[in-house]
Amino acid sequence: MNNRFLNYLLDHDPEKTASKRGLSFRRFLRPVFDVIIPLKTPDKLQILSRGKLPAEGRPIIFAATHGFKEDVDNSLLTIGRHAYILVGSLEQFFKTTDGILAWANGVILVDRADKESRRASKDKMVHLLKMGGNVLMFPEGTWNLSPNQLVAGIFPGVYDTAKEAGALVAPVATHRHGEMVYSILGNAFDITKYERSRGLKILRDKMATLKWRIMEGKTPVIKRSTLPTGDEADLYWQQQISDLKDEVDYFEHELEERSVYKHKDIIHKDEVFDFMKRMLPHHKNAFLFNRKLT
């Protein structure tokens, strides 16, 4: 499949990618997606609760967790309102029917590898929100494949967009267990009442709390003694990640790895020892190559 007729969505001019007429038409189509999505997704969705949202007319950015293929569809069903989706998986968009359906729903396309495209995507969202539309975005930037973080670091674009457009932000969490997907929509709130870093922390905490509520209430407790340990634990987790990636037709490994948000104050262990790859062995630094020290 080749959806290159949708290339216009990569234009940096917001006026060329979204219009009031298009927004109105897609709002009219929204009930159709309430029927289509459950038919195309293999798992059953159970919406555990929906928080308070303002009356129609106040724009909302729905900030959702991201961790498996169908969480986009299930997040759309959970929010219960029409919203354009911020999409950054270009291969999946242009080469599968998912792209056609996303376009029919309403989509803001971004090339995450292109700085100008990333900047333009914010302008496109602001343009849409000021027209009275809503946006569904995934502020983690990519799937959260961390073995221990409920929600990975989130990009500040959600705050900047809300501030410029005068939009509220509503957290959304989805979690899949077996053949069931569970979700919660949190209360919409004004993130711009807080300064930027504080507002982003509050949003991330809200998203993680919703995720935890789902896991605590709907997934069984597993005893640590039943889980693999050591190298077997690493292999077990890598297999889980591999199975997730196999669910999509196109997974751009290098791009997805670069799309993980990295706070400037947090240093990964690989970065700490990166200098070792460039260091030439010498008798003065031989002790650094002693594996017993690492």
Side-chain angles (χ1 to χ4, degrees):
M1 178 170 286
N2 189 335
N3 303 330
R4 289 298 165 183
F5 71 95
L6 299 176
N7 266 343
Y8 76 95
L9 291 169
L10 285 172
D11 196 292
H12 294 172
D13 185 351
E15 298 283 349
K16 295 180 179 179
T17 59
S19 66
K20 286 187 177 181
R21 183 180 178 183
L23 173 59
S24 297
F25 179 68
R26 286 171 170 82
R27 279 176 170 164
F28 175 77
L29 281 181
R30 194 192 74 81
V32 176
F33 284 88
D34 289 343
V35 176
I36 292 176
I37 291 176
L39 295 176
K40 71 183 280 289
T41 52
D43 304 312
K44 183 178 179 181
L45 172 67
Q46 182 179 349
I47 302 172
L48 302 182
S49 65
R50 283 188 173 127
K52 297 178 180 179
L53 300 179
E56 293 280 3
R58 180 74 187 270
I60 304 174
I61 299 172
F62 296 97
T65 60
H66 204 20
F68 56 98
K69 182 178 183 292
E70 290 83 20
D71 60 9
V72 178
D73 291 329
N74 288 303
S75 294
L76 276 175
L77 292 177
T78 300
I79 64 179
R81 290 191 181 182
H82 177 263
Y84 274 54
I85 314 166
L86 179 64
V87 172
S89 300
L90 299 186
E91 291 286 309
Q92 189 75 11
F93 179 81
F94 283 114
K95 295 182 179 179
T96 72
T97 55
D98 289 339
I100 302 294
L101 290 172
W103 166 75
N105 169 83
V107 65
I108 296 170
L109 211 57
V110 55
D111 182 349
R112 288 173 291 168
D114 186 296
K115 184 177 181 180
E116 291 303 316
S117 181
R118 295 196 302 270
R119 183 181 293 112
S121 69
K122 191 196 82 167
D123 295 337
K124 294 175 189 178
M125 287 190 288
V126 170
H127 171 67
L128 179 72
L129 291 163
K130 286 186 174 181
M131 287 195 297
N134 303 313
V135 171
L136 170 64
M137 67 183 303
F138 301 84
E140 293 167 284
T142 184
W143 282 359
N144 175 17
L145 301 180
S146 165
N148 66 315
Q149 292 181 312
L150 292 177
V151 176
I154 61 176
F155 284 87
V158 59
Y159 182 95
D160 298 339
T161 302
K163 185 173 183 178
E164 189 170 341
L168 299 178
V169 177
V172 184
T174 55
H175 182 74
R176 184 173 63 183
H177 180 73
E179 296 182 352
M180 289 293 299
V181 174
Y182 303 99
S183 66
I184 300 178
L185 167 64
N187 296 330
F189 74 106
D190 186 356
I191 195 174
T192 63
K193 289 198 307 184
Y194 311 94
E195 59 88 21
R196 194 173 188 239
S197 60
R198 176 65 177 161
L200 291 169
K201 183 180 185 303
I202 289 172
L203 173 59
R204 185 186 179 202
D205 287 347
K206 286 178 179 290
M207 294 167 66
T209 298
L210 297 182
K211 186 92 169 179
W212 175 254
R213 280 174 54 191
I214 296 172
M215 295 172 67
E216 187 177 42
K218 292 297 179 179
T219 58
V221 175
I222 301 175
K223 292 184 178 180
R224 187 177 294 274
S225 60
T226 65
L227 296 173
T229 59
D231 291 341
E232 289 185 7
D234 290 337
L235 291 173
Y236 172 83
W237 181 247
Q238 291 305 317
Q239 184 60 53
Q240 302 303 307
I241 299 303
S242 178
D243 291 344
L244 277 174
K245 293 176 180 179
D246 287 344
E247 293 178 2
V248 295
D249 298 301
Y250 300 94
F251 190 90
E252 302 170 79
H253 295 268
E254 185 177 344
L255 175 61
E256 299 300 340
E257 289 178 6
R258 294 203 315 266
S259 297
V260 176
Y261 178 71
K262 295 181 181 179
H263 193 281
K264 63 180 180 179
D265 296 331
I266 298 177
I267 309 293
H268 192 272
K269 66 177 182 179
D270 292 339
E271 296 176 278
V272 174
F273 294 101
D274 188 59
F275 74 96
M276 296 281 286
K277 300 174 183 177
R278 302 184 301 273
M279 188 170 60
L280 297 176
H282 188 271
H283 72 274
K284 292 183 178 180
N285 62 26
F287 71 96
L288 292 173
F289 293 89
N290 186 344
R291 292 187 177 275
K292 292 181 179 180
L293 298 178
T294 58

